[in-house]
């Protein structure tokens, strides 16, 4: 059972963790055929959006496509006298954690803002908006007062004593909030960022809803800034799962930049510039971007304003400092900073490696930031480059690094495994996911208790009865080794924020592949894929 999502302290603490070789398979030699095989990015896009339907909490809509899920969490918030039904389960269990959920929605929205035309061309724009709205509808409910936000439903400790379907939950559904007396600037700031970004995604199709989202975003930012504090100091129950290691300064800068982009109000950019030094925006040289550590994203958004000329002269010098730190991150991901310790480690197969626990979250977020930054450079003009040590790197090379990470996820790796579940001939079959690992509620409605779930389902060696299509699992270790085992939660549990950055990437790469005449393999059915991976892993 998972007891902690990840440690996000690498930007501050040098932490190198090595997975135990006794529980992992040795990596095979790099498979050149897998590396050369074209990928069907359109299929990957369609499947990535299905994952968010599998993670839904609440009363499922008539258009629900993931049929093995049913209604769950229908009394969330009842004890506190507030409606908290809805939202997303973040991973393979059933706690609704506000901080990673909000980051997921921010990244889904950002995907549409950068690559929405490509998503629409693939016929998936409506589904992408639905994935965002399932989260934003919940945030509106959870923001019950201008200075009050419900930040968690459920308790991780009790939840992890049970292995149940969400439809059978008997664990605590206690809800926890941040307010004036118990502040949470990080979770309120991230939720403000999510709502501001989402407001732009909905502006063309649902302007009234977009206005409502922006109203909540502005209130939440004011709350986060006025009543400052870390949310894990106010909600002790979150410390073992999503502790805010980076603090809340990055979320305040992040939210202000998204509000500036959504409103165009100079006051938000003034905030980002005036607080740049004190909040670490121009101080931290970061080598990761995650649900906790937003500095690289902050620095990239600030650089966008510089490249586009969307600033006053008094902002320029500070925005140049933001750009220097943004380029440190880009160079780190490309392995081009002067000092080796300033670069992100790579596995022998080329995967960016930050830490052993759910490393894929750092791979997908890095791929997204690299791709987006390459686009900003291209839009700014042919002379724009990333300055890495003594080397100037052009937009195309930056983009090439981004695409290589996406292709690694999809199977261009030494093991030839797609870490996007349901895609390709071989993918993880024993995902650490309660709902996927137990027979569907619609097929067997009798109650399955905590212990029964462990006894009858958790320890099974066979493939999960349900394929959680579109999930991106934690992935392999620093040596490309991966063990497809439900017990191996560090590698086989998937999270919403792993997949969210890939939605836009898959759509954009689909367009690029078509423009260059790259043929894609004919997709096989999920059933066939599951059987293939089941056979291969059983043999291993």
């Amino acid at each position: 059972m998972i007891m902690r999502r990840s440690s996000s302290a690498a930007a501050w603490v040098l932490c190198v963790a090595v997975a135990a070789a006794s529980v992992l398979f040795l990596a095979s030699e790099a498979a050149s055929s897998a590396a050369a095989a074209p990928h069907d990015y359109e299929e990957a896009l369609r499947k990535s959006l299905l994952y968010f339907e599998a993670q839904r909490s609440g009363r499922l809509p008539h258009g629900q496509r993931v049929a093995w899920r049913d209604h769950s969490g229908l009394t969330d918030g009842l004890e506190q006298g507030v409606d908290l039904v809805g939202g997303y389960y973040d991973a393979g269990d059933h706690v609704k954690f506000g901080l990673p959920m909000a980051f997921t929605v921010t990244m889904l929205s950002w995907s549409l803002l950068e690559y929405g035309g490509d998503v629409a061309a693939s016929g998936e724009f409506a589904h992408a908006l639905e994935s965002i709205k399932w989260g934003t509808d919940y945030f509106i409910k959870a923001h019950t007062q201008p200075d009050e936000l419900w930040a968690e439903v459920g308790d991780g400790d009790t939840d992890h004593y049970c292995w149940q379907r969400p439809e059978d939950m008997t664990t605590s559904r206690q809800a926890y909030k941040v307010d004036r007396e118990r502040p949470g600037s990080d979770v309120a700031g991230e939720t403000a960022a999510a709502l501001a970004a989402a407001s732009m995604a909905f502006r063309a199709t649902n302007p009234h809803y977009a206005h409502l989202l922006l109203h909540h975003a502005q209130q939440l930012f004011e709350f986060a800034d006025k009543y400052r504090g870390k949310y894990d100091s106010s909600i002790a129950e979150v410390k073992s799962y999503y502790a805010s290691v980076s603090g809340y300064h990055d979320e305040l800068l992040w939210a202000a930049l998204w509000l500036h982009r959504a409103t165009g109000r100079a006051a938000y950019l003034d905030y980002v510039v005036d607080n740049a030094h004190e909040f670490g925006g121009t101080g931290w040289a970061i080598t990761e971007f995650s649900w906790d550590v937003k500095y690289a994203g902050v620095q990239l958004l600030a650089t966008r304003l510089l490249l586009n000329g969307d600033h006053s002269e008094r902002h320029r010098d500070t925005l140049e400092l933001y750009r220097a730190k943004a380029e440190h991150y880009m160079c780190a991901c490309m392995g081009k900073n002067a000092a080796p310790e300033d670069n992100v480690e790579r596995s022998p197969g080329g995967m960016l490696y930050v830490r052993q626990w759910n490393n894929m979250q750092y791979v997908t977020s890095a791929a997204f930031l690299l791709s987006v930054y390459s686009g900003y450079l291209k839009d700014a003009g042919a002379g724009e480059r990333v300055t890495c040590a003594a080397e100037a790197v052009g937009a195309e090379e930056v983009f090439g690094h981004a695409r290589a990470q996406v292709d690694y996820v999809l199977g261009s790796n030494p093991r030839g495994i797609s870490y996007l579940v349901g895609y390709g001939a071989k993918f993880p079959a024993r995902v650490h996911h309660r709902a996927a690992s137990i027979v569907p509620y619609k097929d067997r409605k009798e109650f399955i208790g905590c212990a029964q779930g462990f006894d009858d389902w958790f320890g099974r060696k066979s493939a999960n009865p349900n394929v959680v299509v579109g999930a991106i699992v934690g992935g392999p270790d620093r040596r490309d080794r991966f063990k497809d085992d439900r017990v191996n939660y560090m590698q086989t549990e998937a999270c919403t924020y792993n997949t969210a950055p890939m939605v836009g990437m898959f759509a954009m790469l689909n367009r690029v592949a078509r423009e260059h005449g790259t043929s894609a393999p004919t997709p096989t059915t999920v059933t066939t894929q599951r059987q293939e991976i089941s056979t291969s892993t059983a043999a291993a």
Side-chain angles (χ1 to χ4, degrees), residues 380-395:
E384 291 295 343
R385 297 285 190 273
V386 178
T387 303
C388 300
E391 181 181 0
V393 183

Side-chain angles (χ1 to χ4, degrees), residues 302 319 379 457:
L319 292 178
D379 292 343
W457 297 99

Side-chain angles (χ1 to χ4, degrees), residues 90-418:
D90 74 294
D93 47 24
H94 306 136
V95 182
K96 295 191 298 198
F97 292 103
L99 182 58
M101 192 194 306
F103 179 69
T104 295
V105 171
T106 305
M107 296 308 295
L108 284 169
S109 301
W110 196 359
S111 282
L112 286 194
L113 295 178
E114 299 295 341
Y115 305 120
D118 298 328
V119 176
S122 299
E124 291 294 324
F125 195 77
H127 289 138
L129 283 180
E130 287 172 8
S131 70
I132 295 169
K133 194 170 187 293
W134 196 266
T136 53
D137 282 352
Y138 175 77
F139 296 143
I140 291 171
K141 288 181 176 185
H143 185 211
T144 42
Q145 298 290 337
D147 298 336
E148 181 178 89
L149 176 68
W150 294 87
E152 180 178 339
V153 178
D155 173 69
D157 292 341
T158 59
D159 183 273
H160 284 76
Y161 285 118
C162 284
W163 193 264
Q164 289 179 292
R165 302 174 295 196
E167 296 83 3
D168 291 326
M169 273 191 292
T170 56
T171 52
S172 169
R173 301 307 287 170
Q174 174 74 33
Y176 306 88
K177 67 179 179 178
V178 293
D179 54 24
R180 296 182 183 186
E181 288 72 37
R182 298 172 295 274
S185 300
D186 25 34
V187 68
E190 182 59 62
T191 308
L195 294 171
S199 74
M200 290 181 277
F202 281 99
R203 192 169 287 166
T205 60
N206 194 340
H208 173 75
Y209 188 65
H211 178 75
L212 177 63
L213 295 177
L214 191 56
H215 172 71
H216 280 277
Q218 290 170 317
Q219 281 193 343
L220 280 164
F221 176 71
E222 291 173 12
F223 166 46
D225 188 41
K226 186 175 181 179
Y227 300 96
R228 295 182 183 177
K230 287 177 58 178
Y231 90 122
D232 57 18
S233 296
S234 299
I235 304 174
E237 288 76 8
V238 81
K239 279 185 178 290
S240 297
Y241 302 94
Y242 286 105
S244 182
V245 179
S246 72
Y248 56 79
H249 286 149
D250 51 340
E251 277 86 11
L252 290 176
L253 295 170
W254 178 244
L257 279 166
W258 280 113
L259 281 162
H260 177 262
R261 187 165 174 174
T263 66
R265 294 182 185 174
Y268 290 118
L269 182 53
D270 291 341
Y271 182 95
V272 172
V273 168
D274 294 343
N275 291 290
H277 176 71
E278 181 186 352
F279 286 6
T282 54
W284 282 112
I286 297 299
T287 57
E288 73 172 79
F289 175 60
S290 68
W291 57 265
D292 181 16
V293 188
K294 313 289 164 48
Y295 282 111
V298 166
Q299 292 153 359
L300 187 148
L301 290 178
T303 304
R304 172 182 175 272
L305 298 175
L306 179 69
L307 293 172
N308 291 347
D310 296 336
H311 58 87
S312 67
E313 190 57 35
R314 90 169 188 89
H315 297 140
R316 174 175 294 278
D317 288 347
T318 302
L319 292 178
E320 290 283 6
L321 295 175
Y322 273 112
R323 179 177 183 172
K325 290 302 187 289
E327 295 198 343
H328 180 277
Y329 174 83
M330 300 298 155
C331 298
C333 292
M334 295 186 288
K336 293 180 180 294
N337 281 319
E341 63 270 19
D342 289 338
N343 293 317
V344 180
E345 182 182 346
R346 283 179 183 263
S347 70
M351 176 190 68
L352 293 173
Y353 182 81
V354 176
R355 58 179 61 86
Q356 66 178 19
W357 199 302
N358 188 21
N359 185 67
M360 273 298 167
Q361 65 175 305
Y362 309 108
V363 173
T364 61
S365 61
F368 182 84
L369 291 194
L370 285 165
S371 178
V372 167
Y373 197 62
S374 73
Y376 293 166
L377 290 174
K378 208 168 185 180
D379 292 343
E384 291 295 343
R385 297 285 190 273
V386 178
T387 303
C388 300
E391 181 181 0
V393 183
E396 289 302 321
E397 184 175 346
V398 176
F399 175 72
H401 283 274
R403 181 169 185 166
Q405 295 305 306
V406 177
D407 288 347
Y408 185 104
V409 172
L410 293 181
S412 297
N413 56 63
R415 293 190 64 83
I417 294 176
S418 165

